[in-house]
Amino acid sequence: MSKLYARRRLSILAALTGLMTSAALVNSPSASAALPTPVSAATARGYLAQLTVATENRTGYSRDLFPLWITISGTCNTRETVLKRDGTNVVTDSACAATSGSWYSPYDGATWTAASDLDIDHLVPLAEAWDSGASKWTTAQRQGFANDLTRPQLIAVTDNVNQAKGDQDPATWVPSRSAYVCTYVRAWVQVKYYYNLSVDTAEKSALTNYLAGC
């Protein structure tokens, strides 16, 4: 076998291996779950230690105090932007509504092909934010929180799973898919730390326990 032939054969094999790897990544559930990567468990533990522990207070809360969904680009609002980000092969119409695509919900491991089967979850719920400090914010600050695409705060998930979660914190609710719990609590702490939100005693205890296993 000539050296030239050997090099060509190795190049072909490398190309085929690359194609197979790319295909695996596309078909992998994690490829369609595009939540901004949260901080590491070690960083999250450090953040958690700095959060204020306080009793929650929901007095005066209304979802309307957190304006959503806002226009992000062109005709696309926040919900539509997250659907495009988190989905695979998403097709949208002139109004930016998703007409087809596939979405993997990392909370429960379900895959959906209709956008109507998905909610955009506020990982730290709006009511939870209000309880732990957002009641003191301006409307503009609450709008920023409700539409935050930079922090790991918004994610497309199965609608009834999101509705079952409601406004619960990790003391009473984490995703049923155990492989995602560590990601979830790391994201939760990162969001609370960034926005200087407090935690209650049970919430901190649960977060501490989950992060210890990450």
Side-chain angles (χ1 to χ4, degrees):
M1 182 185 296
S2 71
K3 291 182 179 180
L4 177 60
Y5 177 79
R7 284 198 296 270
R8 285 178 176 173
R9 186 177 180 185
L10 287 172
S11 296
I12 292 169
L13 287 172
L16 287 171
T17 300
L19 286 172
M20 291 171 67
T21 301
S22 297
L25 286 172
V26 169
N27 292 322
S28 167
S30 62
S32 59
L35 182 79
T37 303
V39 296
S40 68
T43 299
R45 286 190 286 269
Y47 284 175
L48 180 59
Q50 298 176 61
L51 295 182
T52 299
V53 178
T55 302
E56 295 181 350
N57 184 351
R58 191 158 300 184
T59 303
Y61 170 73
S62 169
R63 189 176 177 85
D64 294 338
L65 294 169
F66 292 80
L68 53 92
W69 302 110
I70 62 171
T71 299
I72 299 299
S73 177
T75 60
C76 300
N77 66 23
T78 314
R79 171 183 166 82
E80 293 155 349
T81 300
V82 175
L83 285 173
K84 288 202 296 182
R85 183 198 71 186
D86 289 3
T88 300
N89 299 323
V90 178
V91 176
T92 58
D93 61 20
S94 60
C96 203
T99 57
S100 65
S102 177
W103 292 268
Y104 176 81
S105 170
Y107 285 4
D108 57 333
T111 298
W112 304 97
T113 56
S116 58
D117 288 321
L118 297 145
D119 279 354
I120 306 304
D121 180 40
H122 288 91
L123 196 136
V124 174
L126 304 182
E128 169 68 24
W130 177 272
D131 296 349
S132 51
S135 60
K136 300 179 179 67
W137 295 352
T138 64
T139 299
Q141 288 174 311
R142 287 191 288 267
Q143 176 177 291
F145 177 84
N147 298 276
D148 187 354
L149 294 168
T150 303
R151 263 61 56 181
Q153 164 67 349
L154 297 174
I155 185 170
V157 296
T158 303
D159 54 3
N160 61 359
V161 171
N162 182 51
Q163 291 152 24
K165 171 188 171 180
D167 55 16
Q168 298 179 79
D169 69 33
T172 54
W173 192 95
V174 291
S176 61
R177 184 170 160 263
S178 59
Y180 202 70
V181 172
C182 186
T183 300
Y184 184 84
V185 295
R186 285 158 45 213
W188 183 283
V189 172
Q190 180 180 347
V191 171
K192 283 232 160 174
Y193 179 83
Y194 179 83
Y195 285 100
N196 196 28
L197 296 171
S198 64
V199 289
D200 63 33
T201 302
E203 178 187 357
K204 182 171 184 178
S205 177
L207 290 167
T208 299
N209 291 336
Y210 286 123
L211 287 171
C214 289

